[in-house]
Amino acid sequence: MSLKWRKTVILAKLETTYGTDATPTGAANAIQVSEATVTPLAGEELDRGLMRETLGSSPSIPVGSHVTCEFTVEIAGSGTAGTAPAFGPLLRACAMAEVIDAGVSVAYNPISEDEESASIYFHRDGNLFKLIGARGNVTAELNSNALPVLKFSFTGLWTEPASAALPTTDFSGFIPALPVNNANTPTFSLHGYAAVMTAFTFNLGNTINHRDRVNSEEVKFSDRKMSGSATFEEPAIATKNFYALAKNATLDALQLVHGTNAGNIVTIDMPKVQLKTPSQSNEDGTVLLAVALTPTPDAGDDEITLTFT
């Protein structure tokens, strides 16, 4: 009997000890996702290069075996200010710290040491692929008249795939996302200018390495270089000269606020953003300006902060 693609369930739970299965459950750790894919056997093939009396391929041996997966999660709050969103563990497994101000806010910012890891169970219609010791990267897309999303990619230690019944899930911690538009997205400010935005992205830019060495196997963070982009209606140069800002490598702030009701507001702050490669395009006869973004740290580990209120 064939397997059904959409019968997919992802569970994720932070690990107390790196590489020790945290055993996530459908009742407590289900993640509401879309666009989920898994690579059950990633790594390299070691060609033995055997010689014989005839030509032909040699058998190879898999080395550096690990598991990767990717999936999309809608950006929305928990419904209660000061309560972490249900996808919070995923952000923490992407080298972000979680700071809770009870009853007020939950903030996430990047970190450069003491990164956490997660156990991720990728169920697909009876087949289970585990990513133990998983660490990853996250990108975001907030485009006009579309749902705002986070796109996660994770790498985990190899475990043998197995047959397993799909778990019963509880998605009550997830609330529907709001489309990005004038009513739901009250603020987009770039270098002090309230731009009419059509698209915004960021990439946390984590470099992830699976390292299998004598006495050690681990998925490690080795670097972080954030990037992003913004597209908006181009203003008159006399109003705001984005070309001069790009030419002069000026650093200034970006802020985006999405949501208007307490418990479902997310604020994206970048204190020092460089604008690069401005280019024009046409949308319905309106001139759009697209710029590449390089968010840079201010005091350190603060090139971006996601705050849920």
Side-chain angles (χ1 to χ4, degrees):
M1 183 175 65
S2 61
L3 305 182
K4 293 180 172 60
W5 183 265
R6 291 192 62 194
K7 293 181 68 175
T8 297
V9 172
I10 291 179
L11 315 178
K13 184 179 180 180
L14 293 171
E15 296 173 344
T16 301
T17 302
Y18 180 80
T20 299
D21 192 342
T23 61
T25 67
N29 310 112
I31 305 295
Q32 196 168 63
V33 307
S34 60
E35 302 176 314
T37 62
V38 63
T39 302
L41 181 56
E44 299 178 357
E45 293 288 330
L46 187 63
D47 190 342
R48 298 175 66 193
L50 299 176
M51 304 180 77
R52 58 171 71 87
E53 70 274 16
T54 64
L55 302 178
S57 297
S58 297
S60 61
I61 299 174
V63 295
S65 298
H66 56 278
V67 188
T68 66
C69 71
E70 298 180 353
F71 50 84
T72 298
V73 177
E74 295 177 2
I75 301 176
S78 65
T80 303
T83 297
F87 53 81
L90 301 176
L91 293 173
R92 292 169 64 178
C94 291
M96 301 193 83
E98 180 182 81
V99 180
I100 297 178
D101 185 353
V104 179
S105 66
V106 182
Y108 297 88
N109 63 273
I111 55 176
S112 298
E113 59 184 4
D114 299 326
E115 302 95 345
E116 297 182 275
S117 61
S119 295
I120 298 175
Y121 286 14
F122 193 111
H123 289 265
R124 177 152 279 158
D125 199 10
N127 287 345
L128 171 60
F129 308 97
K130 293 184 180 181
L131 291 79
I132 307 303
R135 289 170 169 152
N137 185 49
V138 61
T139 66
E141 295 180 2
L142 291 95
N143 299 328
S144 292
N145 297 311
L147 294 178
V149 295
L150 296 171
K151 293 179 176 288
F152 291 95
S153 58
F154 285 99
T155 298
L157 304 179
W158 160 260
T159 59
E160 191 77 27
S163 294
L166 284 168
T168 300
T169 55
D170 180 358
F171 294 124
S172 60
F174 292 84
I175 63 176
L178 300 171
V180 177
N181 57 30
N182 182 56
N184 297 325
T185 315
T187 301
F188 180 74
S189 175
L190 181 61
H191 282 227
Y193 177 71
V196 179
M197 184 203 78
T198 63
F200 169 74
T201 71
F202 74 74
N203 183 339
L204 191 58
N206 289 332
T207 300
I208 309 295
N209 296 293
H210 169 254
R211 291 179 57 80
D212 185 3
R213 301 294 186 266
V214 176
N215 287 327
S216 175
E217 184 182 8
E218 186 176 353
V219 176
K220 293 188 174 183
F221 295 103
S222 62
D223 203 358
R224 182 184 70 247
K225 293 183 178 179
M226 275 204 73
S227 60
S229 65
T231 303
F232 49 91
E233 294 184 7
E234 181 172 348
I237 288 176
T239 300
K240 190 72 173 183
N241 190 342
F242 283 100
Y243 302 101
L245 295 173
K247 179 66 171 61
N248 296 327
T250 302
L251 300 178
D252 208 339
L254 177 151
Q255 184 179 72
L256 187 152
V257 179
H258 180 67
T260 58
N261 294 321
N264 195 21
I265 300 171
V266 59
T267 301
I268 301 173
D269 285 303
M270 299 176 177
K272 290 188 174 181
V273 178
Q274 182 179 354
L275 312 180
K276 297 180 178 180
T277 60
S279 62
Q280 293 183 335
S281 63
N282 172 33
E283 182 184 67
D284 300 328
T286 297
V287 179
L288 298 184
L289 184 65
V291 293
L293 307 174
T294 300
T296 63
D298 186 8
D301 286 341
D302 58 356
E303 58 263 49
I304 185 172
T305 302
L306 304 177
T307 305
F308 293 85
T309 54

